[in-house]
Amino acid sequence: MTLTSTTGAAVASRPGTDRRYVGRRRRAAPSSLQQWWVLSLRLIKPIFRNGEIVSAILSPIVFTIGFYLPLKFVMNFQGVDYAQFLMPIIALQALSFTALSAAMKAAMDRVDGMSDRLKTMPIRAGTPLASRMSANLFRLFVSLCVALVCGHVIGFRFHLGWLNSIGFCLFALLVGFALTMGGDAIGTLSKTPAATTQALTLPQLILGMLSTGFVPITGFPEWIRPFVRNQPISVIATAMRDMASDGVDWPTLWPALAWAFGALSVFAPISIWANGRRG
């Protein structure tokens, strides 16, 4: 009898030992659903302890106060119902703030070695990413609810019934999910959390200010209007505004859907690849 066969027989005959659970072929004892649930709770529970839930609540409030109060008299003087006009960009800003948190969380997991540690454990390859995105969806839901409450306080209303209201919320969550997927990809690839924040803050600031989210297109110089009108923040904010007020038509809706699904189709493969690679 050879040494290999002898060793294999010893392993197979050892009490409580099974080849199916040894080495690369070992199977996870908890199911993938159980693993996802435990890892999701690992990320959701600390939100209430470390103050992240406070940030998710405060950010829409700060955006509402900071943008609505300085400009409402100017816009009302021009005949613009500014509460109805401003609400979509408040929601988008709150959701993009959640994307920053998602990037920071992914970067911290990488820097702390948690991502590498999970890769050495018998956990399905996509489970850590799925759990992070579940926690991100929870933050997105909280931020969107607070943004809607803030909008209601300043005078924002859904004028087109439940179907358009639900469409507004689902579309906002879709955009937020795409943003958090991008944030997770950048955070996973980044070597430092500080660099992650800087990489995401500047594009968000530029695209937000150069959009029709805060002021109508007539408030911009002629030479920059084509960019302002067609950049993603303006397109998405216009579609959301129409879902709440005037009714959105297909020529307005499809560019917004194209931007949202386009971003998701780009960020999702990058995030999956970044979380699956080693080193």
Side-chain angles (χ1 to χ4, degrees):
M1 181 179 297
T2 63
L3 178 61
T4 303
S5 60
T6 303
T7 305
V11 171
S13 61
R14 190 180 304 162
T17 304
D18 192 324
R19 280 185 178 277
R20 294 175 300 171
Y21 297 90
V22 176
R24 296 177 58 188
R25 293 184 179 179
R26 60 183 175 178
R27 298 175 183 174
S31 67
S32 298
L33 185 61
Q34 289 174 310
Q35 293 174 349
W36 164 79
W37 178 249
V38 172
L39 291 177
S40 297
L41 291 181
R42 179 186 75 88
L43 297 171
I44 292 176
K45 284 184 177 179
I47 293 176
F48 297 93
R49 293 198 301 264
N50 59 21
E52 285 186 52
I53 190 68
V54 177
S55 300
I57 294 174
L58 284 181
S59 58
I61 297 175
V62 172
F63 292 144
T64 303
I65 296 174
F67 295 131
Y68 179 71
L69 292 182
L71 295 175
K72 77 167 185 176
F73 294 108
V74 177
M75 293 299 164
N76 289 341
F77 183 76
Q78 297 179 5
V80 177
D81 182 353
Y82 199 50
Q84 205 70 19
F85 185 89
L86 187 65
M87 176 55 204
I89 196 65
I90 291 176
L92 291 175
Q93 288 288 331
L95 298 178
S96 64
F97 192 80
T98 304
L100 287 176
S101 299
M104 286 291 294
K105 182 63 68 177
M108 291 300 296
D109 276 357
R110 175 181 169 81
V111 171
D112 294 342
M114 179 57 72
S115 298
D116 292 334
R117 183 179 178 185
L118 291 176
K119 290 175 183 176
T120 64
M121 300 175 70
I123 298 175
R124 297 285 183 184
T127 304
L129 174 60
S131 62
R132 283 207 303 274
M133 297 313 298
S134 300
N136 292 335
L137 271 176
F138 176 77
R139 295 193 192 92
L140 289 172
F141 181 77
V142 172
S143 294
L144 180 60
C145 289
V146 177
L148 290 175
V149 171
C150 292
H152 187 82
V153 170
I154 64 176
F156 170 80
R157 298 291 185 272
F158 289 107
H159 294 301
L160 301 176
W162 284 103
L163 187 61
N164 282 275
S165 304
I166 293 174
F168 179 100
C169 296
L170 291 179
F171 182 66
L173 290 176
L174 171 65
V175 174
F177 187 77
L179 293 176
T180 53
M181 185 66 81
D184 188 274
I186 294 174
T188 304
L189 292 172
S190 175
K191 295 183 179 179
T192 60
T196 302
T197 304
Q198 294 173 2
L200 290 175
T201 302
L202 192 59
Q204 170 189 335
L205 181 63
I206 294 175
L207 290 178
M209 298 307 295
L210 293 177
S211 73
T212 57
F214 298 106
V215 296
I217 189 66
T218 53
F220 292 90
E222 289 279 354
W223 59 270
I224 203 172
R225 287 182 185 178
F227 171 77
V228 173
R229 184 183 295 109
N230 297 295
Q231 61 113 323
I233 301 298
S234 297
V235 172
I236 291 171
T238 301
M240 292 175 66
R241 195 174 297 130
D242 287 351
M243 288 180 192
S245 302
D246 302 323
V248 62
D249 54 12
W250 182 244
T252 302
L253 182 60
W254 79 260
L257 289 174
W259 276 113
F261 281 109
L264 189 60
S265 65
V266 170
F267 292 143
I270 295 176
S271 184
I272 293 172
W273 169 79
N275 282 276
R277 74 190 188 116
R278 295 184 179 274

